[in-house]
């Protein structure tokens, strides 16, 4: 297993997949520094509710960046064998299911490093801006858990599409469409659009809401309960998607 993983890692050495995730994280850092500096100059929301501010906005940022990032990363991971038409050769040297699982493991590790770095970024930014609010450990834990869960399901979907598609434009189109869906679902909180497709669940699993006072033009952030039933249903759906995607790949003609 380790030998196969190291082989897969060597194949991706010149694919610069980590740089794709790093670029997304860098853009989030730039945005967060700009937004928090701007708001701190206008009012004390950042000083008093800095953690809630980031926990409310980072899921929206994930909806914006991660579906496309994951789609691009999976396409880069899978097109090596597709372009070279080497699946038949690989299947004579290793079990077919290991190809699916090794790629899935490598993709998850990229996502894990990104999510851990993003979570650490919350603490770092709040220290930089001298946030007086105590760190809400439970909300941060749910943010980490939901980010990994939603990202893993998107990886399963995109990897399955990439492995089953000879043309990588279709999986990339799905990732772009998912990005638009995830963004716009966050602006229709009264309509359950976000519950229909997995790309909207970054916002569904958010544990921080906001109330905008129009008269004073102030925003107040407040904690909301984590939706455990929806999380369980989402995990079940993820298992089904994994089993279906792996089954279709196992039956694919090479």
């Amino acid at each position: 297993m380790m030998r196969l993983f190291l082989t897969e890692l060597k194949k991706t050495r010149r694919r610069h997949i980590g740089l794709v995730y790093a670029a997304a994280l860098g853009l989030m850092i730039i945005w967060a520094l700009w937004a928090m500096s701007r708001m701190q100059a206008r009012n004390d929301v950042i000083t008093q509710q800095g953690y809630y501010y980031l926990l409310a906005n980072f899921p929206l940022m994930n909806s914006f960046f991660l579906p496309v990032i994951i789609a691009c990363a999976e396409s880069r991971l899978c097109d090596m064998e597709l372009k070279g038409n080497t699946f038949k050769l690989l299947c004579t040297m290793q079990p077919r299911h290991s190809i699916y699982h090794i790629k899935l493991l490598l993709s998850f590790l990229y996502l894990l490093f990104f999510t851990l770095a993003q979570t650490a970024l919350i603490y770092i930014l709040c220290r930089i801006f001298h946030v007086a609010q105590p760190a809400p450990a439970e909300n941060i834990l749910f943010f980490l858990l939901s980010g990994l869960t939603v990202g893993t399901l998107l990886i399963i979907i995109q990897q399955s599409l990439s492995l089953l598609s000879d043309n990588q434009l279709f999986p990339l189109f799905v990732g772009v469409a998912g990005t638009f869906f995830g963004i716009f679902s966050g602006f229709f909180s009264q309509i359950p659009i976000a519950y229909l497709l997995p790309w909207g669940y970054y916002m569904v699993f958010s544990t921080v809401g906001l109330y905008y006072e129009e008269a004073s033009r102030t925003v107040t952030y407040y904690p909301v309960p984590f939706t455990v039933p929806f999380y369980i249903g989402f995990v079940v759906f993820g298992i089904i998607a994994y089993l279906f995607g792996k089954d279709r790949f196992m039956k694919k003609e090479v």
Side-chain angles (χ1 to χ4, degrees):
M1 185 70 173
M2 181 58 67
R3 178 180 59 84
L4 295 177
F5 176 78
L6 293 176
T7 301
E8 187 70 29
L9 196 60
K10 290 179 180 178
K11 288 192 294 183
T12 62
R13 184 172 50 186
R14 298 183 184 275
R15 293 278 155 168
H16 307 299
I17 297 173
L19 292 179
V20 178
Y21 281 96
L25 186 65
L27 289 174
M28 289 186 181
I29 293 173
I30 294 172
W31 169 84
L33 289 171
W34 171 81
M36 294 182 75
S37 299
R38 184 169 175 267
M39 289 193 67
Q40 190 179 51
R42 294 172 55 189
N43 52 55
D44 62 350
V45 171
I46 294 302
T47 303
Q48 300 300 323
Q49 294 189 301
Y51 282 102
Y52 283 166
Y53 175 79
L54 293 176
L55 289 170
N57 284 279
F58 270 7
L60 181 59
M61 299 294 288
N62 285 342
S63 298
F64 187 85
F65 286 110
L66 281 183
V68 172
I69 295 299
I70 289 173
C72 292
E74 294 312 304
S75 178
R76 298 282 287 172
L77 276 172
C78 300
D79 70 348
M80 292 177 291
E81 291 83 2
L82 292 170
K83 285 182 177 180
N85 195 24
T86 58
F87 275 125
K88 182 178 293 187
L89 178 62
L90 283 176
C91 290
T92 63
M93 297 185 294
Q94 66 183 93
R96 180 181 289 204
H97 67 83
S98 68
I99 300 174
Y100 188 92
H101 290 141
I102 291 297
K103 290 182 181 295
L104 194 63
L105 174 61
L106 182 58
S107 299
F108 175 78
L109 290 178
Y110 280 119
L111 176 68
L112 177 62
F113 288 135
F114 174 87
T115 308
L116 289 174
Q118 190 181 49
T119 305
L121 181 62
I122 295 175
Y123 286 100
I124 294 171
L125 288 171
C126 288
R127 291 294 297 272
I128 291 175
F129 287 91
H130 307 290
V131 173
Q133 177 192 9
E138 183 175 332
N139 298 81
I140 294 174
L141 178 61
F142 283 134
F143 169 78
L144 175 64
L145 177 64
S146 61
L148 285 174
T149 305
V150 178
T152 300
L153 176 55
L154 296 186
I155 286 173
I156 291 171
I157 293 174
Q158 292 296 156
Q159 176 176 299
S160 299
L161 290 175
S162 292
L163 288 174
L164 296 173
S165 302
D166 294 330
N167 190 334
Q168 292 300 301
L169 287 178
F170 175 67
L172 291 174
F173 172 78
V174 172
V176 172
T179 295
F180 282 105
F181 177 85
I183 294 171
F184 287 110
S185 66
F187 295 101
F188 297 94
S189 57
Q190 303 301 321
I191 306 175
I193 300 177
Y195 296 93
L196 300 179
L197 291 173
W199 295 273
Y201 274 79
Y202 282 113
M203 300 303 300
V204 171
F205 292 144
S206 177
T207 59
V208 176
L210 64 89
Y211 172 74
Y212 177 69
E213 178 61 44
E214 188 173 357
S216 60
R217 294 184 179 181
T218 59
V219 178
T220 302
Y221 296 92
Y222 58 90
V224 296
F226 185 70
T227 53
V228 176
F230 283 105
Y231 182 80
I232 295 174
F234 189 85
V235 171
V236 172
F237 178 77
I239 294 172
I240 295 173
Y242 157 74
L243 294 174
F244 179 79
K246 187 186 73 170
D247 178 71
R248 298 308 303 168
F249 175 68
M250 295 292 289
K251 294 179 179 178
K252 178 183 178 180
E253 291 187 11
V254 296

